[in-house]
Amino acid sequence: MQERTLSIIKPDGVARGLIGDVVKRLEQAGLRIKGMKMIRMSKEQAKGFYKVHEGKPFYESLTDFMSSGPCVVMVLEGENAIEKYRKLMGATNYEEAEEGTIRKEFASDIEKNVVHGSDARETADFEIRYFFSELDIVSY
Ligand code: CMP
């Protein structure tokens, strides 16, 4: 089933020069990039994006981190895109991520874990709309 999902290359991934490595993996897996931009979130924007985590012990630190530098946000489309991209990323905690995944290969911190991806259809919908209007999403 064709789906869309949101990908973020987090500030640690951008700062460490990992944009190309991440994008290469997405392309090789057959995920089409239908929208892409570099952004710098404000603290308020980061808090809104991660509202589901409000109240959790890592919320303040996570939203500080996500607003600390530029991110690359992408709309990915493809067959089972949500699950496919989650498999490419690996577990949130890099220590539990499978060999060969982005987080296993590049992350060394549960918070600064290089990438974010939507975890379900409803979240993908919310997250894509958070950064992209339908006009920013290219059909090809
Ligand atoms: P992400 O997939 O962007 O979703 C929430 C983020 O919170 C997660 O990746 C991590 O960057 C961060 N985080 C920090 N600590 C934790 C934790 N204990 N459990 C889950 N996420 C955490």
Side-chain angles (χ1 to χ4, degrees):
M1 195 183 302
Q2 289 290 311
E3 278 178 340
R4 283 178 178 173
T5 189
L6 182 87
S7 161
I8 305 180
I9 304 176
K10 297 186 179 187
D12 60 323
V14 174
R16 290 169 57 202
L18 298 174
I19 297 172
D21 285 289
V22 173
V23 167
K24 186 171 185 184
R25 285 166 184 248
L26 304 177
E27 290 181 327
Q28 283 178 340
L31 287 162
R32 285 188 306 283
I33 300 170
K34 306 294 283 286
M36 185 179 205
K37 58 188 170 187
M38 184 175 273
I39 57 160
R40 168 80 190 258
M41 273 188 258
S42 66
K43 171 82 173 171
E44 284 312 304
Q45 284 168 328
K47 284 171 86 172
F49 182 76
Y50 280 116
K51 199 152 180 51
V52 290
H53 294 302
E54 198 169 10
K56 296 198 182 144
F58 56 84
Y59 184 63
E60 275 307 314
S61 164
L62 172 65
T63 51
D64 278 345
F65 163 56
M66 291 300 287
S67 56
S68 69
C71 293
V72 172
V73 287
M74 290 175 276
V75 177
L76 309 179
E77 196 175 274
E79 190 72 15
N80 293 320
I82 296 172
E83 189 49 32
K84 198 180 242 183
Y85 177 49
R86 289 181 69 76
K87 285 224 168 82
L88 288 179
M89 288 192 299
T92 304
N93 183 352
Y94 71 97
E95 288 175 319
E96 290 162 13
E98 272 185 53
E99 287 302 328
T101 59
I102 295 169
R103 285 165 171 164
K104 182 72 178 188
E105 195 144 324
F106 300 117
S108 51
D109 187 289
I110 190 167
E111 178 177 271
K112 296 172 185 62
N113 59 357
V114 187
V115 281
H116 166 83
S118 314
D119 62 2
R121 286 239 171 151
E122 308 76 67
T123 355
D125 236 47
F126 166 80
E127 294 184 351
I128 290 169
R129 281 168 210 262
Y130 200 80
F131 296 115
F132 294 89
S133 86
E134 200 53 42
L135 288 173
D136 299 322
I137 302 172
V138 181
S139 50
Y140 63 94

